[in-house]
Amino acid sequence: MLLPSLFGLDADGLLPDCLRIIATARSEMDDTGFRALAAAALEAAIEVERRTPALVARFMARLSYVAIDASKTEGFAALAAAVGDPGHLAIFLSTAPSLFGPTIAGLASAGLAGPGARLALEKPLGSDLASSRLINDAVAAAYPEDRTFRIDHYLGKETVQNLLALRFGNSLFEPLWNANGIDHVQISIAETVGLEGRSDYYDGMGALRDMVQNHMLQLLALVAMEPPARFDPTSVRDEKVKVLRSLRPIDRSTVEDHSVRGQYGAGAIAGQPVRAYADELGRTSSTETFVALKAHVDNWRWKGVPFYLRTGKRLPERMSEIIIQFRPPAHSIFGDVELKPNKLIISLQPDENIGLTIMAKTPGLDRDGLKLRNVSLDIGSNDAFADVRRRIAYERLLLDLIEGKQTLFVRRDEVEAQWTWIDAIRAGWAATGMTPKTYAAGNWGPSAAIALTERDGVSWHD
Ligand code: BG6
């Protein structure tokens, strides 16, 4: 994602001419070797029409490579030599959590943490509150918060940012956007992929920490937050963190009723047989590949409104969406005609779309009474914005990093509030011995996930 995103920015003339990209990892490689690796990444990700020889050559000329063993401070001098003047430096760390500390110490010792240096961090930023604090402390020792850019790539997605436009750029929704107008909210991120060869990382994490702790809680925060005073980093993040701190803890006493853990067994995706998680892994495991939660935001706006969250691997389709289920009209004048309450469907993937279901009259003479039908008003961004090119989420985030704009990056207090809530759930699972229930790959998780909402008279929007 990173090299194709930087290429996309370069191709559109958005990178300064003098910008150089210095890659570093442990493998011994020279600049030519790294450029070949980059060329392969571009071929895999960028349409051939956009990859003109001139653009590729210009991009390749920006690239160089320095091999470093990040666990040892000494190697960073070579990186500093390659960087030269560190006055305008954006550093992007995508490493195992255990390497954050040594890498930051190495960068600082080589003079790469001065006032002109920004640090971006890719998850996992720890595996619980304690380990996340250690990383945040190591970061803070060298880079102040206003130069620290914690990435959650969901914040780079257009529809996620569109949530803010929808809520705060229109007068229509905000008066209803509370417990009086909204019955419940659903947030789903479904994936068809399995382990994808990431067993070392994923089996240590599971769906709760891989997806809910970061992406889903950020989506929830954007849905639930109060209107920020301004669209600036402090105002937006202040409002998000208030929501995250208002999440009602799901703990030992409530975890069995408010959460479901699942792990995929063998099954089929798109008609093709796929193996069980444990078979892919080569051993049994108690890691969840699916999680569903019933959450509450304990504040005035959201009193009593459930937020149902679910995410999983090896589900029937790739789909991410947020459903805002409004309350039904107070009274029906149409006799026994069923009035379906309005629903706002915000689709992030695979297609970007915002749809609002409304009741409309079915055309006809209505001799047997008025007939109404539930129809959808759609803003499919493929149609409404057909003239605008879609970008990879990282393009936006990398450009913001280069330009020093922090609104779409996660602040330390947000990450720590997210971990606090997640740690309580995990402690609840441990205390009650809740292990994942098996679901056949290609299904929407264990049947308990359906029961979680059906108990409240709510169905998941599939
Ligand atoms: C990552 C998770 O953060 O997000 C992966 O580690 C997951 O497990 C991915 O597959 C999903 O991202 P997207 O953009 O494809 O929805």
Side-chain angles (χ1 to χ4, degrees):
M1 289 294 159
L2 302 181
L3 289 165
S5 297
L6 288 165
F7 175 82
L9 295 172
D10 194 18
D12 289 342
L14 295 167
L15 298 184
D17 285 342
C18 58
L19 185 121
R20 289 179 299 126
I21 300 164
I22 305 167
T24 172
R26 195 170 41 183
S27 318
E28 287 299 335
M29 211 188 311
D30 58 13
D31 292 350
T32 315
F34 180 69
R35 287 180 186 143
L37 190 147
L42 298 191
E43 266 169 45
I46 309 272
E47 321 82 84
V48 69
E49 313 81 68
R50 269 180 69 72
R51 256 189 291 124
T52 66
L55 289 179
V56 173
R58 184 173 76 187
F59 184 67
M60 291 298 159
R62 295 181 185 273
L63 303 183
S64 59
Y65 182 86
V66 180
I68 293 188
D69 177 349
S71 64
K72 302 196 179 79
T73 319
E74 307 85 73
F76 284 85
L79 181 62
V83 168
D85 173 11
H88 300 277
L89 181 63
I91 301 162
F92 186 108
L93 295 189
S94 178
T95 72
S98 60
L99 286 176
F100 281 131
T103 305
I104 289 162
L107 289 166
S109 75
L112 298 178
R118 303 187 185 117
L119 184 74
L121 302 139
E122 183 72 277
K123 66 157 229 209
L125 299 180
S127 53
D128 56 14
L129 178 63
S131 55
S132 146
R133 276 197 175 135
L134 287 179
I135 293 171
N136 283 329
D137 286 344
V139 171
Y143 300 87
E145 188 64 33
D146 65 355
R147 291 196 275 118
T148 299
F149 291 68
R150 292 179 195 80
I151 296 204
D152 185 314
H153 79 275
Y154 264 63
L155 296 182
K157 292 185 192 274
E158 279 296 340
T159 318
V160 176
Q161 296 161 42
N162 214 350
L163 244 174
L164 297 178
L166 185 79
R167 286 194 59 195
F168 306 124
N170 297 289
S171 58
L172 200 61
F173 300 110
E174 209 45 32
L176 281 180
W177 207 266
N178 53 47
N180 295 328
I182 293 177
D183 179 79
H184 71 268
V185 175
Q186 298 183 16
I187 304 177
S188 296
I189 303 183
E191 299 186 278
T192 53
V193 293
L195 254 181
E196 297 184 292
R198 299 160 77 217
S199 52
D200 281 352
Y201 158 75
Y202 192 86
D203 196 56
M205 283 291 192
L208 182 72
R209 289 187 282 180
D210 182 46
M211 296 296 285
V212 181
Q213 184 272 336
N214 39 33
H215 311 319
M216 300 196 86
L217 288 185
Q218 283 291 319
L219 294 180
L220 184 151
L222 291 171
V223 169
M225 72 183 187
E226 297 301 315
R230 277 175 297 279
F231 188 59
D232 67 25
T234 302
S235 309
V236 171
R237 299 186 299 177
D238 279 354
E239 296 307 335
K240 281 195 294 167
V241 79
K242 282 192 225 163
V243 172
L244 297 166
R245 289 192 187 129
S246 307
L247 282 166
R248 184 186 304 166
I250 298 179
D251 56 19
R252 180 191 183 124
S253 61
T254 50
V255 77
E256 286 166 299
D257 287 338
H258 287 68
S259 75
V260 173
R261 298 179 82 189
Q263 186 186 89
Y264 62 83
I269 299 282
Q272 297 300 314
V274 294
R275 289 185 298 162
Y277 178 78
D279 289 339
E280 272 186 64
L281 195 64
R283 57 187 146 82
T284 56
S285 158
S286 57
T287 297
E288 79 284 351
T289 61
F290 175 96
V291 63
L293 300 167
K294 178 178 170 183
H296 287 93
V297 178
D298 279 339
N299 64 17
W300 280 52
R301 184 185 282 262
W302 296 111
K303 182 153 182 61
V305 178
F307 285 71
Y308 300 102
L309 315 179
R310 70 175 167 169
T311 183
K313 304 230 181 251
R314 292 285 193 228
L315 300 186
E317 56 183 282
R318 177 167 187 254
M319 175 277 274
S320 306
E321 65 181 19
I322 300 169
I323 306 288
I324 311 293
Q325 175 68 69
F326 292 97
R327 292 194 185 279
H331 167 70
S332 173
I333 60 168
F334 302 110
D336 54 8
V337 176
E338 190 194 355
L339 294 182
K340 290 242 174 14
N342 305 114
K343 193 182 279 198
L344 186 65
I345 304 168
I346 302 164
S347 305
L348 280 56
Q349 287 164 175
D351 297 319
E352 295 171 345
N353 189 54
I354 297 177
L356 178 66
T357 67
I358 56 162
M359 295 306 293
K361 180 183 170 307
T362 311
L365 298 176
D366 306 320
R367 293 303 86 195
D368 304 321
L370 212 64
K371 293 198 174 47
L372 300 185
R373 194 186 288 170
N374 197 23
V375 291
S376 185
L377 296 177
D378 285 321
I379 327 171
S381 51
N382 288 345
D383 302 330
F385 300 101
D387 53 327
V388 185
R389 191 168 74 76
R390 323 302 323 171
R391 292 182 181 277
I392 305 171
Y394 279 100
E395 289 186 57
R396 169 64 193 253
L397 298 178
L398 286 168
L399 193 60
D400 282 358
L401 167 67
I402 291 166
E403 294 181 352
K405 298 181 176 150
Q406 282 191 307
T407 306
L408 297 179
F409 293 85
V410 185
R411 212 166 54 188
R412 175 174 186 158
D413 50 1
E414 292 180 78
V415 178
E416 294 188 353
Q418 291 171 181
W419 278 122
T420 302
W421 193 67
I422 295 296
D423 283 0
I425 298 174
R426 290 182 52 239
W429 285 347
T432 55
M434 249 181 89
T435 50
K437 297 186 164 62
T438 304
Y439 59 98
N443 285 289
W444 287 105
S447 54
I450 310 213
L452 179 81
T453 59
E454 298 283 340
R455 273 201 298 271
D456 300 340
V458 169
S459 301
W460 290 107
H461 183 258
D462 290 341

